[in-house]
């Protein structure tokens, strides 16, 4: 019965009727987009509606990096005779885009009322056209533009340039199934409490980690948390980098209050000694995130009189203040909504990955760091029938370009990609649901791979808390809840004579880690070849597994098991739907060919720039 129910739930997760998914792309609401979809399979359709304050043309694009080059574009307008025009285009540079040879978008409706142009169109998630973007479970950078007039003779040309202000970019998660469950579908007895700071004067330092203790609501019986949403002080959106909601056990409340230690800088004498009891993550939010709803059969337990109910909560705030301003005052936090109508499963969160041992060389280009949640850990905390992962938050800092979470069977014979973001945006980090929940069994392994890119960073970057340092983490939502906090691996460049670093530079094999880091930094004129050597060292050097349980003052021992990342090759890439390779552009329309000729003619004047 339980297996059948799980299968049904998996199918439901892949078919989610979504309405009113929307984003305001331009200041003042001058350009808005909304979208909806049913299934998330490649052959499924997704419907978009553009609404802009103009009586001219409107354009929406799917860009790999926020720029125009390489973007998949849709341009539309309504001419003076009331005829609607829709063009499927692509950009090869910062100039007039080209019309696709295959028009893979369909007009649903269009109107021009009171100076507002609205256009609704649909397309497949994967059109099997190389000139179109595939809409994936990654961050999508939507670019937009609009003009004040319609194209002359219905031919888009450089004369229709949008100018410096009628354009922009915004990151969104198009295939979002996590944050759009309407409140009216939830139980009637909803209650909430807020975890927030009050008029906190943020120090004039680059990075501040502020921790505060909070009483949980007094509940005699078990309840379930159903949703959490950020409460960001207006104007502080760039200041609040992330918030982590921890559960605490063994907290002496009277001692806490008598010593007036209810908040302060994390991990300093300002905090009570039992701060270390607060490392069970209940929820993590990061910049750009919105309200998160747990799936209908899961909830985070709260209340009751048994030992599983936390004594206290701790809110960790990460403030990012690169300008070292002394004027920030913040009252941000989280709103936690709960119910007495219990759900089937207790949900938990585990942090997979690491910060320790992370070193990124200067000017990285697709430089990878790996952390492994090893079988030696999963065998300790997983029940015999395993746990089911249903959601995730991928997290890195400013150098992060891609993050991927892979799964491996116990014997290593099977593997698959569970989650990935190939267009990671530091300023847009959402909690997301897996399209299909994944059952994990004891002894299976997870691997987090972070890819770092920044041609302007001319120094080494290390793992650390500031945004200018780096992290490589995945927060996983799962059920049933277990007493586990973190799982991962790290390497400390303990160089030996077989290490590529020793072979290239002859580093002293008796040096400690700090000495080896210093030797790396002393390498003159660091080159791409040097970066490749460091990358090889990461791939070939053993990692050490750690496994942390800090609830109820009980710890899983860190298992110092050497792990070779080479034992965990990347899973095969999913092929998605079967696109016909021999006829990629079949179905091109004669009108598309005409538009293509017109667009090529318009290329003689190329002062067109979108970003």
């Amino acid at each position: 019965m339980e297996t059948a129910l799980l299968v049904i739930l998996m199918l439901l997760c892949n078919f989610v009727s979504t309405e009113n998914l929307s984003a305001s792309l331009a200041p003042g609401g001058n350009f808005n987009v909304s979208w909806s979809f049913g299934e998330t399979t490649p052959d499924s359709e997704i419907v978009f509606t553009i609404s802009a304050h103009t009586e001219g043309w409107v354009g929406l694009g799917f860009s790999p990096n926020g720029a125009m080059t390489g973007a998949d574009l849709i341009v539309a307008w309504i001419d003076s005779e009331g005829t609607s025009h829709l063009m499927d285009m692509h950009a090869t540079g910062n100039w007039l885009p080209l019309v696709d040879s295959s028009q893979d978008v369909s007009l649903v409706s269009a109107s021009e009322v009171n100076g507002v142009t609205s256009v609704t169109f649909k397309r497949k998630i994967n059109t099997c056209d190389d000139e179109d973007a595939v809409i994936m479970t990654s961050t999508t950078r939507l670019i937009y533009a609009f003009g004040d007039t319609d194209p002359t003779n219905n031919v888009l040309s450089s004369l229709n340039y949008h100018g410096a202000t009628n354009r922009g970019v915004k990151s969104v998660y198009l295939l979002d199934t996590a944050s759009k469950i309407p409140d009216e579908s939830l139980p009637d007895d909803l209650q909430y409490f807020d975890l927030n700071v009050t008029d906190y004067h943020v120090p004039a330092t680059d990075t501040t980690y502020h921790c505060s203790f909070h009483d949980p609501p007094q509940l005699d019986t078990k309840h379930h948390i159903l949703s959490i949403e950020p409460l960001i002080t207006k104007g502080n959106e760039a200041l609040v980098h992330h918030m982590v909601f921890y559960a605490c056990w063994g907290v002496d409340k009277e001692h806490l209050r008598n010593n007036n230690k209810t908040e302060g800088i994390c991990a300093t004498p300002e905090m009570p000694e039992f701060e270390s009891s607060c490392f069970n993550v209940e929820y993590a939010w990061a910049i750009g995130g919105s309200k998160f709803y747990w799936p209908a059969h899961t909830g985070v337990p709260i209340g009751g009189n048994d030992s599983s109910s936390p004594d206290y909560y701790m809110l960790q705030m990460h403030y990012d203040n690169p300008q070292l301003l002394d004027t920030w005052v913040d009252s941000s936090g989280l709103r936690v909504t709960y119910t007495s109508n219990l759900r089937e499963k207790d949900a938990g969160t585990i942090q997979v990955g690491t910060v320790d041992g992370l070193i990124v060389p200067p000017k990285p280009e697709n430089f990878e760091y790996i952390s492994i949640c090893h079988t030696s850990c999963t065998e300790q905390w997983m029940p015999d029938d395993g746990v089911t992962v249903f959601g995730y938050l991928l997290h890195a800092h400013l150098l992060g370009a891609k993050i991927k979470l892979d799964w491996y069977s116990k014997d290593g014979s099977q593997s698959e990609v569970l989650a990935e973001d190939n267009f990671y945006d530091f300023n847009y980090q959402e909690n997301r649901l897996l399209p299909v929940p994944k059952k994990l069994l004891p002894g299976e392994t997870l691997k987090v791979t972070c890819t770092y890119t920044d041609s302007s960073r001319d120094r080494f970057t290390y793992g650390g808390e500031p945004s200018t340092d780096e992290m490589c983490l995945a927060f996983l939502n799962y059920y049933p809840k277990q007493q586990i906090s973190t799982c991962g691996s790290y390497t400390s460049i303990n160089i030996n004579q077989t290490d590529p670093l020793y072979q290239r530079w002859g580093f002293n094999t008796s040096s400690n880690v700090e000495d080896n880091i210093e030797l790396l930094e002393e390498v003159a004129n660091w080159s791409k070849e040097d970066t490749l050597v460091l990358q090889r060292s990461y791939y070939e050097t053993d990692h050490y597994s750690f496994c942390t349980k800090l609830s109820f003052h009980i710890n899983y021992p860190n298992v110092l098991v050497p792990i070779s990342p080479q034992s965990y090759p990347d899973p095969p890439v999913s092929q998605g739907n079967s696109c016909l390779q021999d006829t990629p552009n079949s179905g091109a329309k004669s009108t598309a060919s005409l538009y293509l000729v017109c667009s090529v003619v318009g290329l003689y004047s190329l002062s067109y720039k979108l970003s």
Side-chain angles (χ1 to χ4, degrees), residues 183-204:
D183 287 324
E184 56 266 23
S185 69
L186 299 174
D188 294 333
D189 70 333
L190 294 182
Q191 302 179 68
Y192 69 85
F193 63 94
D194 294 341
L195 303 173
N196 63 284
V197 296
T198 303
D199 295 330
Y200 176 61
H201 187 186
V202 179

Side-chain angles (χ1 to χ4, degrees), residues 143-208:
I143 58 176
Y144 72 91
F146 57 96
D148 297 328
T149 60
D150 295 334
T152 303
N153 297 322
N154 292 321
V155 178
L156 190 68
S157 73
S158 58
L159 297 176
N160 301 115
Y161 178 57
H162 45 67
T165 58
N166 294 347
R167 62 174 174 83
V169 58
K170 185 171 185 176
S171 291
V172 301
Y173 182 42
L174 290 174
L175 301 184
D176 185 1
T177 60
S179 61
K180 303 304 175 186
I181 300 174
D183 287 324
E184 56 266 23
S185 69
L186 299 174
D188 294 333
D189 70 333
L190 294 182
Q191 302 179 68
Y192 69 85
F193 63 94
D194 294 341
L195 303 173
N196 63 284
V197 296
T198 303
D199 295 330
Y200 176 61
H201 187 186
V202 179
T205 56
D206 177 79
T207 297
T208 298

Side-chain angles (χ1 to χ4, degrees), residues 94-369:
N94 291 327
W95 46 73
L96 190 69
L98 303 176
V99 176
D100 292 1
S101 55
S102 174
Q103 292 293 290
D104 300 306
V105 293
S106 300
L107 182 68
V108 176
S109 65
S111 65
E112 195 173 275
V113 179
N114 297 327
V116 175
T117 296
S118 298
V119 178
T120 299
F121 64 89
K122 62 182 180 180
R123 54 154 288 177
K124 287 185 177 181
I125 287 177
N126 185 357
T127 66
C128 293
D129 184 348
D130 291 340
E131 294 173 336
D132 292 339
V134 179
I135 296 174
M136 300 182 293
T137 53
S138 291
T139 298
T140 299
R141 287 169 172 82
L142 291 182
I143 58 176
Y144 72 91
F146 57 96
D148 297 328
T149 60
D150 295 334
T152 303
N153 297 322
N154 292 321
V155 178
L156 190 68
S157 73
S158 58
L159 297 176
N160 301 115
Y161 178 57
H162 45 67
T165 58
N166 294 347
R167 62 174 174 83
V169 58
K170 185 171 185 176
S171 291
V172 301
Y173 182 42
L174 290 174
L175 301 184
D176 185 1
T177 60
S179 61
K180 303 304 175 186
I181 300 174
D183 287 324
E184 56 266 23
S185 69
L186 299 174
D188 294 333
D189 70 333
L190 294 182
Q191 302 179 68
Y192 69 85
F193 63 94
D194 294 341
L195 303 173
N196 63 284
V197 296
T198 303
D199 295 330
Y200 176 61
H201 187 186
V202 179
T205 56
D206 177 79
T207 297
T208 298
Y209 274 74
H210 178 272
C211 289
S212 55
F213 283 96
H214 302 267
D215 272 313
Q218 298 303 305
L219 303 171
D220 293 333
T221 59
K222 177 180 172 181
H223 288 57
H224 268 150
I225 295 172
L226 307 185
S227 67
I228 296 182
E229 62 183 305
L231 304 173
I232 308 298
T233 299
K234 187 175 182 179
N236 290 6
E237 290 80 7
L239 172 70
V240 182
H241 172 266
H242 76 239
M243 297 180 281
V244 184
F245 169 25
Y246 292 99
C248 314
W249 282 266
V251 176
D252 186 334
K253 297 182 181 181
E254 291 304 317
H255 177 67
L256 181 69
R257 292 174 179 133
N258 290 340
N259 286 277
N260 195 30
K261 290 185 175 181
T262 57
E263 63 178 297
I265 304 298
C266 306
T268 69
E270 293 183 23
M271 298 301 292
E273 63 275 10
F274 35 75
E275 178 190 2
S276 60
S277 298
C278 302
F279 280 90
N280 195 319
V281 176
E282 299 283 45
Y283 176 77
W285 173 92
I287 186 170
S290 56
K291 188 173 184 177
F292 179 76
Y293 292 88
W294 273 260
H297 62 302
T298 67
V300 178
I302 179 177
N305 297 316
D306 61 20
S307 59
S308 65
S309 180
D311 297 324
Y312 237 66
Y313 288 125
M314 187 178 77
L315 179 66
Q316 181 197 82
M317 308 283 295
H318 173 186
Y319 293 109
D320 191 23
N321 184 13
Q323 295 178 307
L324 308 181
L325 299 178
D326 189 39
T327 55
W328 290 112
V329 177
D330 189 58
S331 296
S332 300
L334 299 171
R335 174 157 293 174
V336 182
T337 300
Y338 61 96
T339 177
S340 61
N341 288 281
L342 296 182
R343 296 180 163 188
E344 181 186 357
K345 302 291 186 181
D346 287 349
T349 301
I350 179 175
Q351 175 184 301
V352 177
T354 190
V355 177
D356 296 333
L358 206 164
I359 304 175
V360 182
K363 299 184 178 180
E365 182 178 355
N366 294 322
F367 185 84
E368 293 185 347
Y369 187 81

Side-chain angles (χ1 to χ4, degrees), residues 18 20 31 52 55 70 79 85 112 131 161 243 260 296 313 340-341 383 477 483 498 525 532 604:
T18 59
N20 301 320
F31 194 108
E55 293 182 347
D79 64 26
H85 301 262
E112 195 173 275
E131 294 173 336
Y161 178 57
M243 297 180 281
N260 195 30
Y313 288 125
S340 61
N341 288 281
N477 307 115
Q483 298 309 318
T498 63
N525 302 315
L532 292 175
Y604 286 103

Side-chain angles (χ1 to χ4, degrees), residues 79 301 304 352 475 555 575:
D79 64 26
V352 177
F475 294 90
N555 296 289
Q575 298 301 312

Side-chain angles (χ1 to χ4, degrees), residues 2 80 97 176 190 192 228 247 250 303 346 358 390 497 507 521 576 599:
E2 183 177 350
S80 58
D176 185 1
L190 294 182
Y192 69 85
I228 296 182
D346 287 349
L358 206 164
F390 60 85
Q497 292 186 5
F507 284 173
E521 291 195 328
S599 287

Side-chain angles (χ1 to χ4, degrees), residues 457-498:
R457 181 73 66 90
D458 57 1
R459 60 172 177 81
F460 279 89
T461 302
Y462 301 100
E465 295 180 341
S467 298
T468 50
D469 288 347
E470 270 306 330
M471 294 185 174
C472 185
L473 300 172
F475 294 90
L476 305 185
N477 307 115
Y478 70 94
Y479 65 81
K481 185 174 184 177
Q482 306 296 312
Q483 298 309 318
I484 179 68
S485 176
T486 62
C487 179
S489 70
Y490 63 92
T491 179
S492 297
I493 59 168
N494 291 314
I495 298 171
N496 57 50
Q497 292 186 5
T498 63

